[in-house]
Amino acid sequence: MLDKTHSVEPQQIRNRLFINGEFVDAEDGATIAVVNPHDNSELTAIAEAKAADVDKAVAAARAAFPGWRDTNSSDRARLIMKLADKLEEHFDELTELESLDTGHPIRDTRGLDLPRTLLTFRYFGGLADKIDGRQVPVEPGFLNVVKRQPVGVVGQIVPWNFPLMFCAWKLAPALAAGNTVVMKPSELTPLTTLRMAELMTDVGFPDGVVNIVPGYGHSAGQHLAEHLDVNKIAFTGSTQTGRKIVTASSGNLKRISLELGGKGANIVFADATIPAAVGGSAFAIFHNQGQACIAGSRLLLQESIADEFLERFIALAESIKIGHPLDPQTEMGPLTSKLHLERVLEYLNVCANEGNRILTGGRQPSDPDLNQGCYLLPTVVEAGPGDTVFEQEVFGPFVSVTRFTDESEAIDLANATDYGLGSGLWTNNLQRAHRVADAIDAGMVWINCYKRVHPGSPFGGVGQSGYGRDLGIECLNEYTEPKSIWINYDAEIPPFYSGGATT
Ligand code: NAD
């Protein structure tokens, strides 16, 4: 039996809005219940930001901007590094809190979410004093320098599937480049972000540099996206919301970057190392209960190995240990909310209506310990082009399987989607690996691996998966404006206009 005592009690989290360095109630006193997806019990309630609160947060970020922009970049670097150290000191507390709030198994929050969060702060902390410009060789007598300046006040809107990690992906580069931030976490999973805000104060971030306003998307999020005093929105979430952000941002033509949905193709060729491909393909879809934009949710199998592959893959899916997120043995936890579980279950009705054969899963586990929660068995379904579950993002532990005969059919199937985020292929043929990687329309391709991410490598997509990039040196372009400065130090400028002079 799992000992459910843990080092952090969600009720002890500073559960109010974080504005200008202080935790404050919402203007109208509204709150949102935060629910544990293991049993749908209430963990705590947090203050709910609405338009008036967002206005206060934007004003605080605006006031803090000149000071933060002009802070010595090595001091910004030091603070970001200190935050990483502080988060690491609170490793157990943060990982437990993230698991309670999201349902991620503790082995994942300990093994991936928090380590990647720390790595991201350290990577961009390290870059903060290296964001240099360039000098352009122009005509003699002139010096042209291109400086990279922060864009100003950045609104950041993130989803519920990796709250703390996405917070790091957004905050670290924005702060390193000298911007100030108003962050709107998902209304479903705000706890680790609020705890992080408290730790930011402890390490000495100046007031107003980061402001956290949990609230609903249609109110707080929409207002932030429309706000005329916000210079940029960095958004991660669904394609549908991404479109609303684009429209909302038009009032002041603010910059936007969009990390949206995906429908990743995961291609297994007959010449792959099958056991590695089976394990990697299971990780591609079942990690985080399939709630990942880069999930390998369309498994494409070459006909000649499909039966053997599926036998192994299904056996592996059925062996995955589902359980309480805080149990270190748990490999798959609950989906993050009841509403989302219902959405995923609806796709099973769609499968029934469209005649897609369910090869395993397709229901909630029968274990009585789990029947109050948002659990779903790993689900494998036969489907192909024209089927809803082949085309739409299900965002659960739910993979469609399609067979192909040759490389060109595999590429056509992989590209038979409006999305273009993550994708992968398994082969031992070097030339094929490069050929297919080039041919797939996606922002990321993994060869003989899946879902690898690193703060140094750009993350993002094409098509309906959005534009702009998180991570990598490339993402600093999202958070800086190039400014071209011309200096005449020794040039004779021809008199284009005489101005009536008669020299
Ligand atoms: P969502 O679009 O419903 O919500 C994302 C965030 O936007 C939340 O904070 C929400 O409150 C806010 N929001 C909702 N409506 C808004 C509006 N009108 N204006 C401003 N903000 C609004 O997405 P979700 O269900 O929380 O997350 C799942 C989706 O996110 C999936 O589609 C997934 O693929 C995508 N995602 C993409 C990436 C990526 O990097 N490309 C990463 C993770 C998740």
Side-chain angles (χ1 to χ4, degrees):
M1 189 64 190
L2 170 69
D3 173 9
K4 306 247 176 51
T5 55
H6 28 84
S7 61
V8 58
E9 290 303 333
Q11 298 85 341
Q12 291 165 0
I13 297 297
R14 305 288 291 274
N15 59 357
R16 299 188 290 164
L17 313 178
F18 182 67
I19 298 177
N20 205 23
E22 289 184 353
F23 285 90
V24 296
D25 285 322
E27 286 280 303
D28 67 357
T31 59
I32 301 176
V34 180
V35 170
N36 181 346
H38 165 66
D39 55 8
N40 287 304
S41 61
E42 185 171 323
L43 286 168
T44 185
I46 51 144
E48 178 198 343
K50 292 191 185 141
D53 307 292
V54 170
D55 286 344
K56 276 169 51 182
V58 171
R62 175 60 58 201
F65 175 59
W68 184 246
R69 175 195 60 201
D70 296 340
T71 300
N72 190 329
S73 58
S74 57
D75 290 338
R76 288 205 299 267
R78 199 168 44 83
L79 264 182
I80 296 169
M81 295 290 200
K82 268 174 82 176
L83 176 62
D85 291 346
K86 192 56 136 182
L87 293 170
E88 193 163 22
E89 271 173 41
H90 292 262
F91 193 96
D92 289 346
E93 175 198 333
L94 287 163
T95 49
E96 287 177 14
L97 197 58
E98 191 78 329
S99 286
L100 282 173
D101 200 1
T102 60
H104 296 191
I106 190 80
R107 72 169 205 159
D108 289 353
T109 52
R110 295 183 70 88
L112 291 172
D113 300 37
L114 200 63
R116 284 178 175 174
T117 299
L118 302 177
L119 204 61
T120 304
F121 279 116
R122 291 187 171 128
Y123 181 83
F124 287 102
L127 275 183
D129 56 1
K130 297 166 194 72
I131 306 174
D132 50 17
R134 65 193 179 106
Q135 178 247 318
V136 184
V138 292
E139 295 83 359
F142 288 99
L143 176 66
N144 178 255
V145 288
V146 183
K147 290 187 172 181
R148 302 208 66 87
Q149 297 194 317
V151 299
V153 173
V154 177
Q156 303 190 320
I157 302 177
V158 291
W160 45 261
N161 58 332
F162 292 98
L164 192 57
M165 191 180 82
F166 283 152
C167 188
W169 286 21
K170 299 280 188 230
L171 273 183
L175 294 175
N179 302 281
T180 55
V181 174
V182 177
M183 157 84 63
K184 195 204 82 61
S186 167
E187 60 277 14
L188 295 170
T189 54
L191 298 184
T192 45
T193 311
L194 288 171
R195 182 68 181 113
M196 190 199 61
E198 210 174 341
L199 298 174
M200 290 188 99
T201 312
D202 291 352
V203 299
F205 273 86
D207 295 347
V209 167
V210 175
N211 306 273
I212 313 281
V213 286
Y216 291 105
H218 63 84
S219 49
Q222 180 81 21
H223 191 65
L224 187 59
E226 285 170 357
H227 209 291
L228 298 181
D229 209 19
V230 169
N231 302 98
K232 172 191 164 67
I233 292 286
F235 174 73
T236 297
S238 63
T239 298
Q240 194 187 13
T241 307
R243 287 199 189 90
K244 292 185 188 163
I245 301 271
V246 172
T247 308
S249 68
S250 68
N252 66 341
L253 297 176
K254 58 176 70 62
R255 293 179 59 163
I256 340 177
S257 47
L258 299 173
E259 299 287 352
L260 308 178
K263 192 70 187 170
N266 178 29
I267 311 170
V268 184
F269 288 99
D271 58 18
T273 304
I274 299 300
V278 168
S281 301
F283 175 73
I285 183 62
F286 299 129
H287 165 243
N288 204 33
Q289 296 73 255
Q291 301 166 125
C293 50
I294 53 172
S297 55
R298 290 182 302 142
L299 183 56
L300 309 181
L301 300 179
Q302 192 151 20
E303 185 64 61
S304 56
I305 47 97
D307 288 336
E308 180 203 344
F309 183 97
L310 276 176
E311 195 178 317
R312 291 174 184 237
F313 184 72
I314 289 169
L316 181 54
E318 290 174 351
S319 75
I320 290 175
K321 189 168 177 331
I322 302 180
H324 192 290
L326 291 186
D327 183 340
Q329 303 303 318
T330 292
E331 295 171 327
M332 234 178 80
L335 302 191
T336 296
S337 76
K338 192 156 178 275
L339 183 68
H340 184 57
L341 171 69
E342 284 162 6
R343 237 184 265 150
V344 175
L345 289 173
E346 185 50 37
Y347 279 105
L348 292 167
N349 293 333
V350 171
C351 286
N353 292 338
E354 298 186 8
N356 303 129
R357 199 156 65 101
I358 295 178
L359 303 180
T360 188
R363 61 177 176 82
Q364 295 193 256
S366 45
D367 182 341
D369 279 351
L370 308 180
N371 65 12
Q372 297 301 309
C374 306
Y375 292 89
L376 182 68
L377 292 175
T379 298
V380 183
V381 173
E382 276 180 341
D387 293 326
T388 303
V389 295
F390 183 86
E391 287 171 0
Q392 294 185 11
E393 187 183 39
V394 177
F395 219 58
F398 187 110
V399 62
S400 68
V401 181
T402 315
R403 297 170 186 236
F404 65 87
T405 49
D406 58 19
E407 187 179 306
S408 100
E409 191 188 359
I411 293 167
D412 288 347
L413 283 168
N415 288 340
T417 173
D418 293 333
Y419 293 111
L421 193 61
S423 59
L425 60 127
W426 301 82
T427 179
N428 283 312
N429 179 327
L430 183 65
Q431 288 168 316
R432 163 175 286 155
H434 283 286
R435 233 177 8 242
V436 178
D438 280 357
I440 296 178
D441 300 329
M444 291 162 282
V445 182
W446 296 281
I447 299 170
N448 295 332
C449 57
Y450 215 96
K451 280 175 78 171
R452 301 294 311 174
V453 293
H454 184 276
S457 182
F459 184 103
V462 300
Q464 309 257 324
S465 293
Y467 45 79
R469 291 293 181 268
D470 272 342
L471 307 182
I473 290 186
E474 289 79 359
C475 89
L476 293 173
N477 292 336
E478 311 287 339
Y479 289 111
T480 53
E481 289 285 3
K483 182 181 277 181
S484 170
I485 299 174
W486 288 82
I487 301 160
N488 174 358
Y489 64 92
D490 192 22
E492 286 285 328
I493 304 179
F496 287 113
Y497 303 105
S498 65
T502 53
T503 51

